[in-house]
Amino acid sequence: MSENTFDATLDASLIGQSPEELGFDPDALRAKYRQERDKRIRPESTGQFIEVTGEFSHFAADPFAGARVERAPLEDEVEVVIVGAGHCGLLAAVRLMEAGVTDLRIIDGAADVGGTWYWNRYPGIRCDIESYTYMPLIEEIGTMPEEKYAAGAAIFENARKIAKKYDLYDKTCLQTHVEETRWDEAEKKWTVKTDRGDAMKARFLIMALGPLNRPKLPGIPGIQDFKGHAFHTSRWDYEYTGGDPSGDFNMHKLHDKRVGIIGTGCTGIQCAPRLAEHAQHLYVFQRTPSAVAARNNRPTDPDWASSLTPGWQERRSDNFNAILQGLPVDEDLVADGWTRNADIQKTLFSLGADASPQETAVLGELVDFQRMNEIRDRVDDIVEDEKTAAGLKAWYRLFCKRPSFSDNWLAMFNRPNVTLVDTKGRGVTSFNERGAVVDGAEYELDCVIFATGYEVGTDYSRRGQLEIHGRDGVRLSDHWSEHMKTLHGLMSHGFPNCFHMGVFIQNPLIGNFTALFTSQAQRIAQIVKAIKERDLRSIEPTAAAETDWVETVRQSNGDNLEFFVECTPGYYNAEGEPESGDGLFYEIFGGGMKLFDEITDKWFDEGMPGTHTE
């Protein structure tokens, strides 16, 4: 083993140490975590959020599109229709074309490709996964990110470069929303209807609906009564704030404005420091603090970049994914906050541990306590006001929420024009026409910005704003009404030639979403190519195979559910009710990406057993 050997082995000597030896009292921390969790539990669970329809539909309107480009309705036929032009859809198209399937069409409601990175253009946006592994196909298109953690505009532009290099714009219908898809059993084809009057047919349908595009709002009483300006971070209003999404974040129009931001997750942590630079005063309304470690962003080293050899990105991505799964590697190529936390993550997913599951769980909790203590100590080191610092400390296990990284979030609270409004876990009490009310105290605001996340974990048809009708007209939303039903997260019984892409659909969850999308795109291209080569008309899983996979998923994530029951409420655990079936990890294969790939590789190599073909 070289001196660069990466070792995420847990220190077994921690077991049995006294609180004095550990430097903390595990029992006291568990009690504190439970106390903080309990005061955030709400009886309405995920029902506490508002869907952006009706009087709230303007929160989902596209501020970037410009004039609608008119065209005649399409009633033609293609081999594959892909719904979604984000990373999922783009990767599906590229892998299909590489497999010889070129007669395809991509459909997206946005005015350009990019998905998440089209919609989310708020000031300060970056990916929290390093750009060399996150940004897909950069080796193929011949680009190199300028920074380790690329800005959102750079990621958006990379998506556009993919579309240009592979001539996908000519195959894409933009500003087009799919309203309905319906399977024709006699023709063995899908009919895809859109808000443009299209009624196109396709042999195969790929639902590439990303998870981070449909905004949601908190159900705060009186939210509609506020007379000031309001918008969601995923539909940033630069006309109001000043600046532009290309990277000019000079929001000069806020210099005389009192701004309130609601939400202190990954989005709020990135955009609030930019707001603080320009707003007359910024009020940060916090329900639950985030655990924020240093990002340590830096420019790309040109000497390092020039030293790379062909295949470097795939090797780097595989290395990153292996470390996060607790698998042995000789070197940590990424070396960031994610890989540093790999020892904790592998205990959560019961992967790669040399010790017994019970011992590993105990060790993982102790290391988690240590790491979270470090993060809480970082708050004290940076934030000058003791009361503010106390309010910014996160009291829960590290992976109860997606870890956050920032080099300027905590320092922002030392500015005289920034106020943390710690709602003690209850959230904003209400709105009136002048602003927000918290425990009887009114905060007058000119503008409210909702950094409150997306439709994650809600009904599939609600997230996509469409209905999928399979054999005999059965709706996917009905087929999934009690719980999700798939084979490998890719297909469902009764919905022939229909494939699903994205996260949270009975496939593994890994930190780097685009690695999962790449795997899905490759598998779907394999299946479509095989169906064509065998001169078959359709494929779908049997009901038995679907049931077996659902049971496999349930068994694989049983320990994870116990973990998330103890977590503070959030979208990971259905706002504190993971057993409801709405939490993300209820529908996640808990065995990790490596095992999942082994299972699906074997399945494909053996001729795709458990499927019905015609």
Side-chain angles (χ1 to χ4, degrees), residues 99-135:
V101 182
T102 60
D103 184 21
L104 56 87
R105 177 170 292 144
I106 306 172
I107 306 174
D108 199 291
D112 207 339
V113 302
T116 292
W117 303 100
Y118 172 87
W119 294 112
N120 290 275
R121 306 195 210 181
Y122 55 81
I125 182 172
R126 294 181 183 276
C127 186
D128 58 6
I129 301 294
E130 66 145 27
S131 53
Y132 316 123
T133 59
Y134 178 81
M135 293 168 65

Side-chain angles (χ1 to χ4, degrees), residues 523-542:
R523 184 70 69 205
I524 292 170
Q526 276 184 321
I527 296 171
V528 171
K529 182 179 180 180
I531 293 301
K532 287 171 56 63
E533 289 177 344
R534 298 174 193 179
D535 199 26
L536 298 171
R537 300 179 69 193
S538 67
I539 182 173
E540 67 176 293
T542 65

Side-chain angles (χ1 to χ4, degrees), residues 520-576:
Q520 292 171 331
Q522 291 169 337
R523 184 70 69 205
I524 292 170
Q526 276 184 321
I527 296 171
V528 171
K529 182 179 180 180
I531 293 301
K532 287 171 56 63
E533 289 177 344
R534 298 174 193 179
D535 199 26
L536 298 171
R537 300 179 69 193
S538 67
I539 182 173
E540 67 176 293
T542 65
E546 186 181 70
T547 299
D548 288 345
W549 183 249
V550 171
E551 181 59 27
T552 297
V553 171
R554 295 288 183 269
Q555 291 180 356
S556 72
N557 65 20
D559 292 340
N560 296 341
L561 286 178
E562 293 179 13
F563 173 88
F564 285 107
V565 165
E566 293 296 321
C567 281
T568 193
Y571 71 88
Y572 270 21
N573 66 353
E575 298 299 326

